[in-house]
Amino acid sequence: MAEVVVGRDKCGEQRLVSLPLSRIRVIMKSSPEVSSINQEALVLTAKATELFVQHLATYSYRHGRGKEKKALTYNDLSNAAEESETFQFLADILPKKILASKYLKMLKEKKDEEDEEGKDDDESDDDEVES
């Protein structure tokens, strides 16, 4: 199988992967289970990561508003993570954007609901004590 050339390094030599291997090595070594990393495993992990990011971007572009704007946006990525079963595991990492004012309003409503539930529990405890 012929090697696929993705890019060139600082010296102008051809590279198989475009992600920096040193950064991937640091990320892999951050796991406590990993003691040493084989060079082949490092290159395969980098290539798999590139292919995954490429697939995510292509899917998001095709199924989002990217075609209309000829650009890929964060909203396209978050929609893909939310709607696609394949990318569902990214829903927490790529949440939908909301305005800070809406978030604060949601927090206040949640706190109000919890306060009401707490009051209801206190009243039922008082009734039991009186009985």
Side-chain angles (χ1 to χ4, degrees), residues 28-89:
M28 290 173 74
K29 282 195 169 188
S30 69
S31 175
E33 296 94 29
V34 176
S35 58
S36 64
I37 301 167
N38 184 339
Q39 186 66 22
E40 292 172 350
L42 183 64
V43 171
L44 287 174
T45 302
K47 191 63 181 174
T49 303
E50 283 182 22
L51 292 173
F52 172 75
V53 170
Q54 181 181 16
H55 179 63
L56 172 63
T58 303
Y59 180 90
S60 300
Y61 181 81
R62 287 184 181 157
H63 292 85
R65 294 185 179 157
K67 285 185 176 180
E68 298 167 10
K69 299 178 183 178
K70 294 190 178 184
L72 180 64
T73 65
Y74 179 87
N75 286 335
D76 294 334
L77 293 170
S78 66
N79 286 338
E82 188 174 296
E83 296 169 2
S84 170
E85 194 172 312
T86 304
F87 301 117
Q88 189 69 44
F89 71 99

Side-chain angles (χ1 to χ4, degrees), residues 6-26:
V6 173
R8 297 188 182 276
D9 64 5
K10 293 176 185 174
C11 301
E13 294 182 21
Q14 296 176 343
R15 293 183 52 184
L16 181 61
V17 293
S18 60
L19 294 175
L21 297 179
S22 60
R23 301 261 173 107
I24 293 172
R25 182 186 309 275
V26 168

